[in-house]
Amino acid sequence: MEKIEELMVITMEECGELIQECSKAIRCDNYSDNQKLIEEIGDVMCMLELLHDYDVFSWKDIYERVEVKKKKLA
């Protein structure tokens, strides 16, 4: 498996773990100062940074998309 494929698989796994922690936070009404949630968000962020390092995407494109999504959610 090439490096980018490996990073993509790990990113999928980390996103799945974040989904689980979000679900647990909702069930337990535990949002602020939730260490496990912070860890999973950090793991996903790490994977995004690594994907960026491998030129899978540009931060410019991502921040443009962020603005589109924020407007949609407003």
Side-chain angles (χ1 to χ4, degrees):
M1 180 181 303
E2 73 176 76
K3 188 65 174 179
I4 292 177
E5 287 176 350
E6 180 182 15
L7 290 173
M8 295 290 277
V9 169
I10 296 169
T11 300
M12 289 186 296
E13 292 169 353
E14 294 298 346
C15 287
E17 291 174 18
L18 178 56
I19 289 167
Q20 288 180 320
E21 285 307 316
C22 287
S23 181
K24 288 177 187 177
I26 291 168
R27 281 197 328 266
C28 299
D29 194 30
N30 181 17
Y31 304 105
S32 60
D33 201 31
N34 181 330
Q35 192 57 42
K36 187 62 177 162
L37 183 60
I38 291 168
E39 289 173 15
E40 295 305 337
I41 292 169
D43 289 352
V44 170
M45 187 67 187
C46 174
M47 296 312 300
L48 294 176
E49 289 181 358
L50 288 170
L51 289 172
H52 173 264
D53 291 347
Y54 278 82
D55 294 322
V56 174
F57 65 87
S58 75
W59 286 119
K60 178 185 174 291
D61 292 340
I62 297 302
Y63 289 125
E64 287 174 2
R65 177 60 193 163
V66 165
E67 291 307 312
V68 169
K69 187 65 173 181
K70 283 182 178 179
K71 287 177 185 173
K72 183 178 177 183
L73 293 173

